[in-house]
Amino acid sequence: MSVIELGDSIPSLTSHAVSMSLPTWADNVGYEEGDKQIWDKLTTGYPRFFIHKSIDAFADAIIARYGNPNQKAMLFPSTTSAQRCRDFIKAKGEPSLTGDVEVVDMVLHIEEETSEIIAKISPSISAVIYHSDLFPVAKQYWQHSGDGISSRRAEFCHSLFSDGKLVAAALPQPVMNQKKGPKRYQRASIDNTPSLLDNKVSPKRNSNAAEIQESTQFLEERFGRNLDISLINNAKVSLRRRIAGPLTDEVNLAAVKPSSPEKTSSSHGVTPDDVYLYPCGMNAIFNTHRMLLQSRGQRKSISFGFPYVDTLKILQKFGPGCIFYGHGSSEDLDDLEARLQAGERYLALFCEFPGNPLLNTPDLKRIRKLAEAYDFAVVVDDTIGTSINVHVLPYADIVVSSLTKIFSGDCNVMGGSAILNPQGRYYNSLKKAYEADHEGNNNYWAEDIIFMERNSRDFIKRIKKINHTAEAICDLLKSHPLVKDVYYPKYNPSTKQFYDDCRTPDGGYGGLISFVFHKKEHAIAFYDRIETAKGPSLGTNFTLTSPYVLLAHYWELDWAGEFGVPPDLLRVSVGVEDTEELVSRFVVALKAAEAVGY
């Protein structure tokens, strides 16, 4: 395969890509250390860590109109999410700078005859305007919560803003002469310019060649038909049905009836009404924590197992805090049980199944028994295991997942979900909280929904292929003398049984593999040589390699090491490539490591 150049999007020429290329070990170090030569080449990045340039451009335009040169803006899809960011900045920021933090709500100002068309996609923006020195604090909220707007929403709303159709609610609104909504969502505009949903893209200020190519190719080649804006609601319904119960490869969106009674359910009683969609996986976790606090009161939580970085930050920074069991071991559960027996009480236990990056699996059976005995909720993130390979809902009150990963696969759209267990003891109170959270449930942008629905139609087929190839890669790595350890659910003797307890009859062990060489020099040589995409994220349809610990924990490597996480660990997210061809690439990269010497 051809090498993706440093800083290019992954996939290449994709305006809304979820990853970016860091093709050498040194590039990853430079990225973490803020090397200007590296950062200047980045066209995009993982959206919660790298604010998309289209979002930055829109924020700058809002500041130019409503702020001053000493201010910046952070953009959100609703007033409520923006207010949460404002409150976070005021609580965490330097007091001398937080007095002027404000929220500016941008509302649609178009004539009544077009309001019904545009209302379907809710093109609202709320900007948190703050002193520029507070950016690191505002960025924390953006990264941890996942509340921020998507790049597609930014492009569309920036166009409205530039045309005077999106204005600050509290300021005088200009008189509009235009009688139609934005061309991007018209079936036929007054000047006969085709819209995006007519399989073509009309000119707009923020478009570029890659954006036009991506949208046009996606809609023409993958949909193969025109799409009406009304199908966005149908796509949302289809997604919820796919997550809840029987997954199907093909869906005729025009035939979906969102208003029909929900009869589709899985064998465990979940209906699509129990599935909630969010703009990204971390936002699903963030809102799940919020809903638990609202429904069960202000209690500390439990973070069990070495976590994805922002899950722990959410539990630590929002609410009363948490206790952290970084090993996720039986001994940790012994300690937790002793605390519970001594009278300590908790809101919920959060864990991943399996964990990232060591692929350890928590003992959900024992956790469930403790939860029943001592009254705490269980939240399981099955992003890595996937609902095809593992069935964790019987042990959980809420199952959260990042749809951005293998559910989508195409690495060009974000999304997240939360599933409530109808058999759970907190189901009724949680259901009320989720249903009352209208803004949280409606912040997923229309175009992102369309892309996610289409990407996920072949979810099952991809998972089965990836399971097979991942085991072949594992076998190769385990047999090589330079490789010290391979981390994979199937090969972890201490936690494999816990995984198998939840494995579905036809389920495999997933597509994520981590491994460590005996020497750092071997890891560097292997990484620099391996012919795969190289960058952050996982669950892509193409194989993606990353020195994960460097990227996720560069400034806390010693802390990660306390929990057995090696600093030179390599993580591979296996894709759908031909198994033999992919194995041969790994053989070549291993030979590069051998050339360093034993």
Side-chain angles (χ1 to χ4, degrees), residues 195-260:
S195 72
L196 174 72
L197 296 181
D198 280 318
N199 294 344
K200 296 180 182 179
V201 179
S202 57
K204 60 181 187 294
R205 283 177 175 79
N206 302 305
S207 288
N208 56 42
E211 156 70 7
I212 293 172
Q213 177 183 353
E214 177 192 5
S215 295
T216 304
Q217 179 176 340
F218 179 83
L219 292 169
E220 288 184 354
E221 294 184 4
R222 301 201 65 177
F223 279 97
R225 56 183 180 275
N226 290 343
L227 287 177
D228 187 275
I229 187 63
S230 66
L231 297 184
I232 285 176
N233 288 335
N234 297 28
K236 184 182 290 189
V237 172
S238 294
L239 276 175
R240 294 169 68 212
R241 289 177 178 171
R242 190 168 300 154
I243 293 166
L247 288 84
T248 58
D249 291 341
E250 294 298 334
V251 175
N252 180 1
L253 289 185
V256 173
K257 297 180 180 179
S259 60
S260 63

Side-chain angles (χ1 to χ4, degrees), residues 93-153:
E94 170 60 43
S96 63
L97 299 175
T98 58
D100 295 331
V101 180
E102 61 178 332
V103 174
V104 176
D105 296 317
M106 314 297 294
V107 297
L108 199 63
H109 180 66
I110 59 176
E111 294 191 359
E112 186 175 351
E113 64 182 273
T114 55
S115 62
E116 289 187 8
I117 299 173
I118 305 304
K120 290 181 182 292
I121 56 171
S122 303
S124 60
I125 292 290
S126 291
V128 180
I129 297 178
Y130 56 91
H131 193 283
S132 57
D133 288 348
L134 291 169
F135 174 75
V137 180
K139 177 68 182 319
Q140 286 182 45
Y141 184 84
W142 176 279
Q143 176 181 321
H144 300 332
S145 72
D147 261 346
I149 67 170
S150 77
S151 52
R152 289 187 178 90
R153 183 192 286 259

Side-chain angles (χ1 to χ4, degrees), residues 350-363:
F350 288 73
C351 65
E352 300 171 11
F353 197 96
N356 179 21
L358 299 183
L359 287 306
N360 294 325
T361 306
D363 184 353

Side-chain angles (χ1 to χ4, degrees), residues 359-392:
L359 287 306
N360 294 325
T361 306
D363 184 353
L364 288 187
K365 284 186 175 181
R366 185 177 175 190
I367 289 170
R368 182 74 261 166
K369 288 180 180 178
L370 291 175
E372 293 294 338
Y374 296 102
D375 188 29
F376 60 84
V378 178
V379 181
V380 181
D381 183 343
D382 72 345
T383 299
I384 295 172
T386 77
S387 61
I388 305 305
N389 288 326
V390 295
H391 180 36
V392 299

